């Protein structure tokens, strides 16, 4: 056996890499066997399907085929998991003091032919020590090792020695996994931190699923990755309970969702639904949006003060106030005035939703018309109520009136009506002042006169989506279309052989409730950047998880919604009497101390109680605070980016005010940047940057960011805390520095 003490550091590293590679090779060999077994089961199931397909109608006992379907499903599911976990399968090792036990930790559990564990799933209780053990409380662990792999090859090791007095000498390589991970360059996608989860993060990840779990913390504390790992952990621990209903992860923007989309599949979970706030209501509306309102309009559309406005516009008939109903029954002319029609409408809408109240509306009209006819005249004309109803409903003029007075409503058409200043004034009276009504009318001007199917769809904003979803809930879904018999099979050459299995046909299927909402509901809902969710958006979220458990992740100091009290009230309504627990993440793993000191001064000037995390590292390089002007912007920005490209190897971002985003992008597209810089450069607004991180950041025109975004200074704080290495600010206020710097002293 080789004595490590007699080897050079390079030889020691090579020796340890060879040891770990031998175990990893063994794991992958077992993985190949498991994959082959799953493929065999899948193939056998397909063969059984083909032989039984010809005479499935004569099969009286569906048990065999039901079992076939179940095996095929489980085999395909296992195969997908194994394929997803092929890269970086093994990432950790624990060396225990007692009995000199060794445990390997990875993305999923793998056992050998004797059912002995080769790798322990990171979510299993046996793996907790990998995340919870510290030098102060080693939990029986002497050495924690992180393996860095590329495909199935071990390319690096990082060790943490947790116990030094065990009497056993172990090789220690590197400076620790966490510091090594923090110093690596960032790319266009978030990576999981499953190998470097810290104790306070692990506690939040493994919290019970019931009720509401709140994970708070300042920028760079790992809130997002903790939340995603929590989703993976909950599905692993409570799969039967949660997988049927599903887990929904909600983030602020599509840019953010693209950034995180590979984390959960990399952790072995592909059954989670990821949606940005602007995509959340696509199930009910058939549309999504990523367009952002101006600050004033965004704040108004997020406020609960719009609820009564929406209720009023739903009650306003599309036909206007002047409509009346006149029918003739055996020479007797009966009339319902606009006032009488309005009273009928109010009474019906008090207990029904508009799109499901057509029958009730017709009954209300017929009752009111019958009441106009005295009993004496009815007797004289030999009219029963049944005959009366037949005569009225058989008239073409009545049918035309009913269609005009009580049409099927479309949420977009209803909201578009509020683009009419006169109607908005009527519906908003007592809830919105004149200035607010004008802001909203201007915001909706593009939708004025919209008729579904006859015009292009309006360019709705993210703020509008929550209002449209609210309207969809108020008016209800349209009556269900007639059901058709499902297609049993696709074409022979289709990759999916069977759409409806025999097991599906033989098993009892519950009848669909025509009153069910057309929205998807989930067993667990995870909301990232929850401090930005407006009260109206909370209502939209609640409809997706009326019985769900919740994980809410956020930082009030980074909120872009200005009315904090209204947000808290909406959140209290969501929580209700549910079990409630909080976890606070206190350590900043992203930004160096120099960056956080600057950002901390800015935010505490207006938010003294801001939750400022403690950075774990310093770079010795202070942020550069520069001043320039718009007419020299191209040259100055190019110089700044050229310098940053030479200082960092990874991603670079220019965070700018919304009004300058397209111009800056065009400027950089035309400019002469160093080779390779363009490919790792992003231009985005501060709101788009939420949840993201870059090696270097240029914050352009900070004063304009404050002026042009809801949340003001809090949103600038977001921009200042995005870099992992370098921060540059560029005020366009030459020769004076920007007003935002006043808080810096």
């Amino acid at each position: 056996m080789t004595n490590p003490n007699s080897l050079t550091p390079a030889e020691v590293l090579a020796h340890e890499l060879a040891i770990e590679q031998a175990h990893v090779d063994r794991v992958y060999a077992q993985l190949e066997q498991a994959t082959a077994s799953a493929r065999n089961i899948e193939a056998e199931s397909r063969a059984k399907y083909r032989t039984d397909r010809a005479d499935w109608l004569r099969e009286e006992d569906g048990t065999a085929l039901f079992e076939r379907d179940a095996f095929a499903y489980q085999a395909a599911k296992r195969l997908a998991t194994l394929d997803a976990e092929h890269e970086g399968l093994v990432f950790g090792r624990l060396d225990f003091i007692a009995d000199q036990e060794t445990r390997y930790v990875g993305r999923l559990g793998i056992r050998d032919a004797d059912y002995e564990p080769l790798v322990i799933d990171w979510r299993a209780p046996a793996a907790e020590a990998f995340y919870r053990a510290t030098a102060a409380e080693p939990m029986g662990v002497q050495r924690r090792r992180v393996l860095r792999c590329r495909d199935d090859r071990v390319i690096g090791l990082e060790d943490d020695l947790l116990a030094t007095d065990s009497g056993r000498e172990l090789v220690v390589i590197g400076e620790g996994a966490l510091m090594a991970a923090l110093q690596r360059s960032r790319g266009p996608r978030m990576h999981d931190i499953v190998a470097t989860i810290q104790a306070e993060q692990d506690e939040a990840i493994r919290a019970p699923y019931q009720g509401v779990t709140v994970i708070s913390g300042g920028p760079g504390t790992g809130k997002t990755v903790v939340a995603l790992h929590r989703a993976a952990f909950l599905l692993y621990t409570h799969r039967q309970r949660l997988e049927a209903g599903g887990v929904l992860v909600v983030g602020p923007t599509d840019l953010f969702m693209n950034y995180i989309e590979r984390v959960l599949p990399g952790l072995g979970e592909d059954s989670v639904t990821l949606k940005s706030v602007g995509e959340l209501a696509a199930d009910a509306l058939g549309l999504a949006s990523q367009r952002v309102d101006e600050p004033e309009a965004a704040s108004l559309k997020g406020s609960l003060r719009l609820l009564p406005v929406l209720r009023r516009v739903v009650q306003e008939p599309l036909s206007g106030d002047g409509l009346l109903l006149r029918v003739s029954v055996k020479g007797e002319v009966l009339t319902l005035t606009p006032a009488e029609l309005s009273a009928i409408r109010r009474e019906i809408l008090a207990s029904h939703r508009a799109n499901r109240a057509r029958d009730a509306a017709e009954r209300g009209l017929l009752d009111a018309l019958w009441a106009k006819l005295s009993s004496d005249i009815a007797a004289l004309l030999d009219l029963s109520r049944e005959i009366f109803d037949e005569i009225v409903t058989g008239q073409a003029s009545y049918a035309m009136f009913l269609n005009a007075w009580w049409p099927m409503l479309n949420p977009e058409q209803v909201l578009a009506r509020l683009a009419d200043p006169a109607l908005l004034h009527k519906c908003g009276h007592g809830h919105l002042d004149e200035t607010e009504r004008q802001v909203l009318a201007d915001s909706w001007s593009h939708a004025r006169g919209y008729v579904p199917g006859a015009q292009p769809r309006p360019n709705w904003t993210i703020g509008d989506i929550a209002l449209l979803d609210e309207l969809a809930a108020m008016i209800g879904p349209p009556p269900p279309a007639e059901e058709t018999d499902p297609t049993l099979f696709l074409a022979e050459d289709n990759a999916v052989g069977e759409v409806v299995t025999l097991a599906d046909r033989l098993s009892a299927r519950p009848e669909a409730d025509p009153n069910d909402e057309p929205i998807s509901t989930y067993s667990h809902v995870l909301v990232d950047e929850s401090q930005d969710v407006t009260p109206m958006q909370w209502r939209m979220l609640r409809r997706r998880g009326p019985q769900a458990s919740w994980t809410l992740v956020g930082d009030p100091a980074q909120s872009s919604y200005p009315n904090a009290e209204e947000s808290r009230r909406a959140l209290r309504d969501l929580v209700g009497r549910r079990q409630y627990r909080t976890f606070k993440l206190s350590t900043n793993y992203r930004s160096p101390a120099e960056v956080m000191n600057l950002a901390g001064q800015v935010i505490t000037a207006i938010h003294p109680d801001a939750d400022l995390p403690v950075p774990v590292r310093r770079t010795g390089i202070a942020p550069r605070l520069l001043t320039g002007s718009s007419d020299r912007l191209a040259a100055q920005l190019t110089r700044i980016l050229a310098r940053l490209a030479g200082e960092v190897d990874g991603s670079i971002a220019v965070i700018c005010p919304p009004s300058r985003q397209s111009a800056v992008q065009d400027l950089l597209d035309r400019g002469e940047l160093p080779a390779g810089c363009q490919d790792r450069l992003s231009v985005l607004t501060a709101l788009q940057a939420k949840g993201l991180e870059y090696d270097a950041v240029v914050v352009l025109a900070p004063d304009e960011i404050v002026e042009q975004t809801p949340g003001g200074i809090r949103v600038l704080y977001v921009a200042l805390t995005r870099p992992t290495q370098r921060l540059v600010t560029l005020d366009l206020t030459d020769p004076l520095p920007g007003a935002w710097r006043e808080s810096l002293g």
Side-chain angles (χ1 to χ4, degrees), residues 577-609:
R577 296 185 178 182
R578 289 182 172 93
Q579 201 176 349
Y580 189 86
R581 67 189 68 83
T582 59
F583 295 89
K584 180 180 176 181
L585 305 181
S586 58
T587 304
N588 185 322
Y589 302 103
R590 177 197 300 143
S591 302
E594 295 82 359
V595 169
M596 277 307 303
N597 289 342
L598 172 71
Q601 292 180 64
V602 171
I603 191 61
T604 53
I606 63 116
H607 198 327
D609 299 327

Tab-separated table of all heavy atoms in Angstrom, residues 577-609:
chain	number	residue	atom	x	y	z
A	577	ARG	N	-55.005	30.263	8.760
A	577	ARG	CA	-54.684	29.541	9.991
A	577	ARG	C	-53.717	28.387	9.761
A	577	ARG	O	-53.563	27.503	10.608
A	577	ARG	CB	-55.973	29.006	10.627
A	577	ARG	CG	-56.938	30.112	11.069
A	577	ARG	CD	-58.137	29.532	11.787
A	577	ARG	NE	-59.040	30.580	12.255
A	577	ARG	CZ	-60.149	30.352	12.938
A	577	ARG	NH1	-60.504	29.092	13.217
A	577	ARG	NH2	-60.923	31.356	13.332
A	578	ARG	N	-53.069	28.389	8.603
A	578	ARG	CA	-52.116	27.326	8.311
A	578	ARG	C	-50.917	27.364	9.255
A	578	ARG	O	-50.556	28.411	9.787
A	578	ARG	CB	-51.596	27.443	6.868
A	578	ARG	CG	-52.598	27.103	5.781
A	578	ARG	CD	-51.911	27.230	4.437
A	578	ARG	NE	-52.717	26.754	3.337
A	578	ARG	CZ	-53.503	27.517	2.611
A	578	ARG	NH1	-53.611	28.804	2.899
A	578	ARG	NH2	-54.201	27.013	1.608
A	579	GLN	N	-50.330	26.204	9.458
A	579	GLN	CA	-49.074	26.120	10.191
A	579	GLN	C	-48.031	26.993	9.511
A	579	GLN	O	-47.923	27.007	8.282
A	579	GLN	CB	-48.629	24.657	10.234
A	579	GLN	CG	-47.684	24.295	11.279
A	579	GLN	CD	-47.386	22.802	11.296
A	579	GLN	OE1	-48.036	22.013	10.642
A	579	GLN	NE2	-46.406	22.410	12.051
A	580	TYR	N	-47.244	27.721	10.259
A	580	TYR	CA	-46.348	28.729	9.704
A	580	TYR	C	-44.979	28.608	10.348
A	580	TYR	O	-44.854	28.562	11.560
A	580	TYR	CB	-46.941	30.116	9.971
A	580	TYR	CG	-46.273	31.278	9.297
A	580	TYR	CD1	-46.627	31.659	8.008
A	580	TYR	CD2	-45.302	32.033	9.961
A	580	TYR	CE1	-46.041	32.754	7.398
A	580	TYR	CE2	-44.706	33.126	9.360
A	580	TYR	CZ	-45.080	33.487	8.079
A	580	TYR	OH	-44.499	34.565	7.472
A	581	ARG	N	-43.921	28.528	9.537
A	581	ARG	CA	-42.565	28.451	10.073
A	581	ARG	C	-41.647	29.310	9.196
A	581	ARG	O	-41.870	29.459	7.998
A	581	ARG	CB	-42.069	26.997	10.114
A	581	ARG	CG	-41.854	26.340	8.778
A	581	ARG	CD	-41.581	24.859	8.874
A	581	ARG	NE	-42.768	24.112	9.324
A	581	ARG	CZ	-43.756	23.719	8.529
A	581	ARG	NH1	-43.719	23.991	7.240
A	581	ARG	NH2	-44.787	23.060	9.004
A	582	THR	N	-40.605	29.866	9.811
A	582	THR	CA	-39.691	30.750	9.092
A	582	THR	C	-38.250	30.280	9.274
A	582	THR	O	-37.873	29.758	10.325
A	582	THR	CB	-39.808	32.204	9.568
A	582	THR	OG1	-39.534	32.277	10.935
A	582	THR	CG2	-41.157	32.755	9.348
A	583	PHE	N	-37.459	30.495	8.228
A	583	PHE	CA	-36.030	30.229	8.254
A	583	PHE	C	-35.323	31.457	7.692
A	583	PHE	O	-35.719	31.983	6.649
A	583	PHE	CB	-35.676	28.995	7.418
A	583	PHE	CG	-36.259	27.723	7.954
A	583	PHE	CD1	-37.521	27.302	7.552
A	583	PHE	CD2	-35.574	26.947	8.857
A	583	PHE	CE1	-38.077	26.135	8.038
A	583	PHE	CE2	-36.120	25.775	9.361
A	583	PHE	CZ	-37.374	25.378	8.950
A	584	LYS	N	-34.304	31.885	8.394
A	584	LYS	CA	-33.556	33.059	7.962
A	584	LYS	C	-32.152	32.640	7.557
A	584	LYS	O	-31.414	32.045	8.345
A	584	LYS	CB	-33.496	34.097	9.093
A	584	LYS	CG	-32.728	35.361	8.723
A	584	LYS	CD	-32.705	36.330	9.892
A	584	LYS	CE	-31.865	37.555	9.577
A	584	LYS	NZ	-31.825	38.489	10.732
A	585	LEU	N	-31.784	32.947	6.317
A	585	LEU	CA	-30.441	32.670	5.809
A	585	LEU	C	-29.599	33.926	6.010
A	585	LEU	O	-29.962	35.004	5.535
A	585	LEU	CB	-30.492	32.272	4.335
A	585	LEU	CG	-31.422	31.091	3.995
A	585	LEU	CD1	-31.370	30.789	2.496
A	585	LEU	CD2	-31.046	29.859	4.792
A	586	SER	N	-28.498	33.797	6.690
A	586	SER	CA	-27.757	34.977	7.144
A	586	SER	C	-26.407	35.168	6.474
A	586	SER	O	-25.737	36.163	6.731
A	586	SER	CB	-27.554	34.886	8.664
A	586	SER	OG	-26.865	33.680	9.001
A	587	THR	N	-25.992	34.243	5.613
A	587	THR	CA	-24.663	34.297	5.032
A	587	THR	C	-24.739	34.564	3.531
A	587	THR	O	-25.483	33.896	2.817
A	587	THR	CB	-23.902	32.981	5.276
A	587	THR	OG1	-23.864	32.716	6.678
A	587	THR	CG2	-22.471	33.079	4.755
A	588	ASN	N	-23.970	35.544	3.076
A	588	ASN	CA	-23.920	35.883	1.660
A	588	ASN	C	-22.802	35.083	0.994
A	588	ASN	O	-21.630	35.255	1.300
A	588	ASN	CB	-23.662	37.387	1.490
A	588	ASN	CG	-23.722	37.836	0.044
A	588	ASN	OD1	-23.290	37.143	-0.870
A	588	ASN	ND2	-24.268	39.010	-0.167
A	589	TYR	N	-23.195	34.214	0.060
A	589	TYR	CA	-22.232	33.402	-0.665
A	589	TYR	C	-21.920	33.971	-2.045
A	589	TYR	O	-21.102	33.406	-2.761
A	589	TYR	CB	-22.755	31.964	-0.814
A	589	TYR	CG	-23.063	31.296	0.498
A	589	TYR	CD1	-24.381	31.158	0.940
A	589	TYR	CD2	-22.054	30.803	1.303
A	589	TYR	CE1	-24.672	30.554	2.144
A	589	TYR	CE2	-22.328	30.205	2.515
A	589	TYR	CZ	-23.642	30.080	2.922
A	589	TYR	OH	-23.924	29.488	4.130
A	590	ARG	N	-22.592	35.036	-2.440
A	590	ARG	CA	-22.414	35.588	-3.783
A	590	ARG	C	-21.449	36.759	-3.805
A	590	ARG	O	-20.383	36.681	-4.426
A	590	ARG	CB	-23.760	36.039	-4.344
A	590	ARG	CG	-23.623	36.692	-5.739
A	590	ARG	CD	-24.859	37.508	-6.102
A	590	ARG	NE	-26.046	36.698	-6.130
A	590	ARG	CZ	-27.251	37.087	-5.728
A	590	ARG	NH1	-27.411	38.299	-5.274
A	590	ARG	NH2	-28.288	36.285	-5.752
A	591	SER	N	-21.829	37.853	-3.191
A	591	SER	CA	-21.092	39.097	-3.344
A	591	SER	C	-19.985	39.220	-2.307
A	591	SER	O	-20.196	38.913	-1.124
A	591	SER	CB	-22.039	40.298	-3.233
A	591	SER	OG	-23.066	40.225	-4.210
A	592	PRO	N	-18.824	39.706	-2.721
A	592	PRO	CA	-17.758	39.934	-1.733
A	592	PRO	C	-18.109	41.081	-0.792
A	592	PRO	O	-19.013	41.880	-1.060
A	592	PRO	CB	-16.548	40.276	-2.615
A	592	PRO	CG	-17.124	40.772	-3.909
A	592	PRO	CD	-18.401	40.026	-4.099
A	593	ALA	N	-17.383	41.169	0.303
A	593	ALA	CA	-17.681	42.162	1.338
A	593	ALA	C	-17.657	43.577	0.787
A	593	ALA	O	-18.443	44.434	1.203
A	593	ALA	CB	-16.681	42.012	2.486
A	594	GLU	N	-16.746	43.859	-0.156
A	594	GLU	CA	-16.635	45.207	-0.695
A	594	GLU	C	-17.930	45.641	-1.402
A	594	GLU	O	-18.367	46.790	-1.286
A	594	GLU	CB	-15.454	45.286	-1.674
A	594	GLU	CG	-14.082	45.078	-1.037
A	594	GLU	CD	-13.711	43.616	-0.844
A	594	GLU	OE1	-14.535	42.723	-1.190
A	594	GLU	OE2	-12.601	43.368	-0.364
A	595	VAL	N	-18.544	44.721	-2.128
A	595	VAL	CA	-19.798	45.019	-2.817
A	595	VAL	C	-20.938	45.174	-1.817
A	595	VAL	O	-21.752	46.103	-1.896
A	595	VAL	CB	-20.118	43.925	-3.854
A	595	VAL	CG1	-21.540	44.086	-4.390
A	595	VAL	CG2	-19.112	43.959	-4.991
A	596	MET	N	-21.016	44.268	-0.847
A	596	MET	CA	-22.112	44.325	0.122
A	596	MET	C	-22.030	45.542	1.019
A	596	MET	O	-23.050	46.090	1.442
A	596	MET	CB	-22.133	43.053	0.960
A	596	MET	CG	-22.842	41.885	0.304
A	596	MET	SD	-24.534	42.259	-0.277
A	596	MET	CE	-25.337	42.819	1.226
A	597	ASN	N	-20.821	46.017	1.326
A	597	ASN	CA	-20.702	47.231	2.140
A	597	ASN	C	-21.320	48.423	1.416
A	597	ASN	O	-22.019	49.243	2.015
A	597	ASN	CB	-19.234	47.505	2.461
A	597	ASN	CG	-18.666	46.515	3.453
A	597	ASN	OD1	-19.405	45.832	4.163
A	597	ASN	ND2	-17.343	46.399	3.507
A	598	LEU	N	-21.060	48.536	0.119
A	598	LEU	CA	-21.640	49.617	-0.674
A	598	LEU	C	-23.156	49.478	-0.749
A	598	LEU	O	-23.896	50.429	-0.470
A	598	LEU	CB	-21.033	49.618	-2.077
A	598	LEU	CG	-21.691	50.573	-3.089
A	598	LEU	CD1	-21.360	52.019	-2.726
A	598	LEU	CD2	-21.244	50.257	-4.512
A	599	ALA	N	-23.639	48.309	-1.118
A	599	ALA	CA	-25.082	48.089	-1.251
A	599	ALA	C	-25.785	48.277	0.077
A	599	ALA	O	-26.904	48.814	0.135
A	599	ALA	CB	-25.341	46.692	-1.804
A	600	GLY	N	-25.136	47.855	1.177
A	600	GLY	CA	-25.733	47.995	2.496
A	600	GLY	C	-25.942	49.444	2.882
A	600	GLY	O	-26.970	49.802	3.478
A	601	GLN	N	-24.999	50.306	2.548
A	601	GLN	CA	-25.164	51.732	2.836
A	601	GLN	C	-26.344	52.324	2.069
A	601	GLN	O	-27.081	53.168	2.585
A	601	GLN	CB	-23.880	52.493	2.468
A	601	GLN	CG	-22.687	52.186	3.347
A	601	GLN	CD	-21.464	52.984	2.921
A	601	GLN	OE1	-21.443	54.208	2.984
A	601	GLN	NE2	-20.437	52.278	2.466
A	602	VAL	N	-26.526	51.880	0.834
A	602	VAL	CA	-27.607	52.410	0.010
A	602	VAL	C	-28.970	51.999	0.569
A	602	VAL	O	-29.871	52.831	0.701
A	602	VAL	CB	-27.454	51.921	-1.446
A	602	VAL	CG1	-28.692	52.272	-2.268
A	602	VAL	CG2	-26.208	52.523	-2.080
A	603	ILE	N	-29.145	50.734	0.926
A	603	ILE	CA	-30.466	50.261	1.340
A	603	ILE	C	-30.813	50.692	2.761
A	603	ILE	O	-31.971	51.013	3.051
A	603	ILE	CB	-30.585	48.728	1.182
A	603	ILE	CG1	-32.037	48.284	1.348
A	603	ILE	CG2	-29.689	47.992	2.170
A	603	ILE	CD1	-32.980	48.860	0.333
A	604	THR	N	-29.853	50.718	3.660
A	604	THR	CA	-30.171	51.086	5.045
A	604	THR	C	-30.520	52.556	5.194
A	604	THR	O	-31.107	52.959	6.195
A	604	THR	CB	-29.007	50.734	5.993
A	604	THR	OG1	-27.788	51.309	5.491
A	604	THR	CG2	-28.843	49.229	6.120
A	605	ALA	N	-30.186	53.377	4.197
A	605	ALA	CA	-30.569	54.783	4.247
A	605	ALA	C	-32.080	54.948	4.199
A	605	ALA	O	-32.632	55.879	4.771
A	605	ALA	CB	-29.925	55.547	3.090
A	606	ILE	N	-32.790	54.029	3.526
A	606	ILE	CA	-34.259	54.110	3.454
A	606	ILE	C	-34.933	52.926	4.131
A	606	ILE	O	-36.136	52.931	4.355
A	606	ILE	CB	-34.743	54.218	1.994
A	606	ILE	CG1	-34.361	52.956	1.200
A	606	ILE	CG2	-34.214	55.458	1.335
A	606	ILE	CD1	-35.461	52.173	0.720
A	607	HIS	N	-34.174	51.891	4.430
A	607	HIS	CA	-34.724	50.680	5.045
A	607	HIS	C	-33.765	50.258	6.164
A	607	HIS	O	-33.010	49.299	6.023
A	607	HIS	CB	-34.837	49.585	3.991
A	607	HIS	CG	-35.759	48.461	4.346
A	607	HIS	ND1	-35.942	48.007	5.635
A	607	HIS	CD2	-36.546	47.664	3.576
A	607	HIS	CE1	-36.791	46.985	5.633
A	607	HIS	NE2	-37.176	46.764	4.389
A	608	PRO	N	-33.782	50.967	7.309
A	608	PRO	CA	-32.791	50.706	8.368
A	608	PRO	C	-32.795	49.281	8.883
A	608	PRO	O	-31.759	48.803	9.380
A	608	PRO	CB	-33.189	51.690	9.475
A	608	PRO	CG	-34.025	52.730	8.801
A	608	PRO	CD	-34.712	52.048	7.670
A	609	ASP	N	-33.932	48.602	8.791
A	609	ASP	CA	-34.027	47.238	9.311
A	609	ASP	C	-33.747	46.174	8.256
A	609	ASP	O	-34.076	44.996	8.447
A	609	ASP	CB	-35.424	47.007	9.903
A	609	ASP	CG	-35.730	47.935	11.057
A	609	ASP	OD1	-34.792	48.291	11.800
A	609	ASP	OD2	-36.908	48.335	11.202
